[in-house]
Amino acid sequence: MSPAPAVTAKPAVLIAIIGSTGTGKSDLSLDLAERLIERGQLAEIVNADAMQLYRGMDIGTAKLSRAERRGIPHHLLDVLDVTDEATVSNYQRDARTAINEIVARGAVPILVGGSGLYVSAVVFDFQFPGTDPVLRARLEAELLARGAGLMYTRLQAVDSQAALRIGPSNGRRLVRALEIVELTGAPHVAALPAEPVYWQPSVLLGLRTPREQLTPRLDARVQQMWRSGIVDEARALLSVGIERGVTASRAIGYAQALGQVHGTLSQDDAIEATQQLTRRYARRQVSWFKRYAHTHWMESDSSNRVDDALAHVDRGSAPSSPSPATACAGSGVHPAAAP
């Protein structure tokens, strides 16, 4: 019997750096971009953190300032007002447009972030169901009239898996799931691929940190957010309508800082709640990203991580055939549901 043909790696069109919060993804993206530039290859960075899309949300999202970006072009930072709703389908469109434009300029796009569904929407080839304004308006009116509980019961009857994932209190996502079922005649989960394929030849670089090291690092990071002025930043965002924002108002750290502003949380309680939510979010990110097949995992504190990352890039992309991992098994918007 003839041996199976060897799989030849293709040159990567896209580099994606993934991992949980606090593992140093931004630093690696900058270091890798600089190394590529040093050898004559232009590189640009595309944000894949849902909350960094928002103008004015800097401290709580660990957004790099312009000075910290080392002169490397960054895309999809500060593109939404806090009253805008962040949607994965819009992000997919905008991120892929930015990536195509970067490639057209002869540069390498580096996608960086921890919002799992946002990363999946770019890296993997899947389509989002459309929307029907009339149907959406009717379902939203029903939500107002009947409440989320009855919408949840209705979703349970037609798509129990989506109902279990979403829960009985997230009215916006319940409406969307019911809309998809009515539009497609299929369960909400059917909109996401069980065996995703890559949108473009890609190299996936993952950063991981042992939990016993990551937990105190995350707790300290939250403490630093308060020392850096997240409460004042949240207070300033009140004047531009953050509490009217469906997505921004629920961001980890900002919701708790606003509670402190309004006097419903003490500072100690706000910090503790943010630490708990951040740790929980990091665990969800770890679970999400470990399902990505063909990811090259590196220890976040390794002194060789930039060299290792560059070596993986040079070896080429992951296969474009269907992945055995279910990289998109779920849906939601960071940070309330999906990572």
Side-chain angles (χ1 to χ4, degrees):
M1 179 167 49
S2 300
V7 176
T8 302
K10 299 178 181 179
V13 173
L14 173 65
I15 300 168
I17 299 177
I18 61 175
S20 74
T21 186
T23 53
K25 297 183 295 295
S26 294
D27 286 343
L28 178 59
S29 71
L30 292 168
D31 292 341
L32 181 59
E34 286 185 333
R35 290 286 291 275
L36 291 170
I37 292 168
E38 286 172 3
R39 65 184 200 181
Q41 176 64 69
L42 297 176
E44 302 183 25
I45 293 172
V46 180
N47 165 53
D49 183 311
M51 294 300 111
Q52 291 192 12
L53 297 170
Y54 286 104
R55 284 181 282 272
M57 294 176 63
D58 302 331
I59 295 171
T61 65
K63 187 187 299 174
L64 295 176
S65 67
R66 289 193 178 276
E68 292 171 324
R69 298 173 199 173
R70 307 183 197 175
I72 297 167
H74 281 63
H75 304 270
L76 298 186
L77 294 172
D78 301 321
V79 294
L80 295 179
D81 293 328
V82 292
T83 51
D84 295 331
E85 181 177 358
T87 68
V88 185
S89 57
N90 286 346
Y91 172 79
Q92 181 193 59
R93 177 199 64 210
D94 295 342
R96 289 183 172 183
T97 297
I99 288 166
N100 285 332
E101 291 173 350
I102 292 167
V103 172
R105 288 192 288 272
V108 175
I110 304 175
L111 183 73
V112 184
S115 296
L117 190 59
Y118 283 58
V119 174
S120 296
V122 175
V123 172
F124 300 105
D125 186 18
F126 67 94
Q127 304 296 318
F128 289 95
T131 186
D132 182 322
V134 175
L135 174 58
R136 172 68 68 90
R138 174 170 64 77
L139 290 169
E140 289 177 344
E142 292 177 15
L143 174 65
L144 289 174
R146 301 180 181 181
L150 287 177
M151 302 297 277
Y152 175 71
T153 300
R154 179 173 163 186
L155 183 60
Q156 281 183 310
V158 294
D159 189 349
S160 59
Q161 291 185 37
L164 180 64
R165 245 187 355 263
I166 295 169
S169 59
N170 194 326
R172 180 173 63 91
R173 292 187 65 211
L174 291 168
V175 163
R176 177 57 177 157
L178 288 167
E179 180 187 23
I180 290 173
V181 171
E182 290 202 32
L183 283 174
T184 66
H188 188 195
V189 72
L192 300 173
E195 294 185 343
V197 297
Y198 288 89
W199 170 59
Q200 298 283 2
S202 303
V203 170
L204 305 186
L205 304 173
L207 287 175
R208 59 189 173 196
T209 303
R211 181 176 293 184
E212 63 272 16
Q213 296 176 24
L214 184 61
T215 296
R217 184 181 300 177
L218 295 178
D219 286 349
R221 183 173 178 172
V222 171
Q223 292 277 3
Q224 183 59 47
M225 285 162 49
W226 256 257
R227 288 193 294 269
S228 297
I230 190 174
V231 175
D232 290 337
E233 186 171 82
R235 183 182 290 111
L237 291 170
L238 285 172
S239 64
V240 292
I242 187 172
E243 292 183 311
R244 299 195 307 273
V246 174
T247 311
S249 64
R250 296 181 295 125
I252 294 174
Y254 289 92
Q256 292 69 42
L258 288 170
Q260 184 177 337
V261 169
H262 293 312
T264 59
L265 288 174
S266 68
Q267 177 166 301
D268 287 346
D269 288 343
I271 290 173
E272 183 180 356
T274 303
Q275 288 172 329
Q276 290 177 348
L277 289 168
T278 301
R279 293 194 296 266
R280 187 182 308 162
Y281 177 54
R283 289 194 296 270
R284 290 205 308 268
Q285 289 175 302
V286 169
S287 297
W288 182 281
F289 288 125
K290 73 180 181 181
R291 296 175 295 186
Y292 282 30
H294 313 115
T295 299
H296 306 292
W297 287 103
M298 300 170 289
E299 298 303 318
S300 63
D301 293 335
S302 171
S303 60
N304 296 321
R305 65 180 191 169
V306 181
D307 290 334
D308 291 344
L310 196 61
H312 290 308
V313 170
D314 288 342
R315 280 197 285 268
S317 67
S320 57
S321 57
S323 160
T326 305
C328 306
S331 69
V333 178
H334 160 81

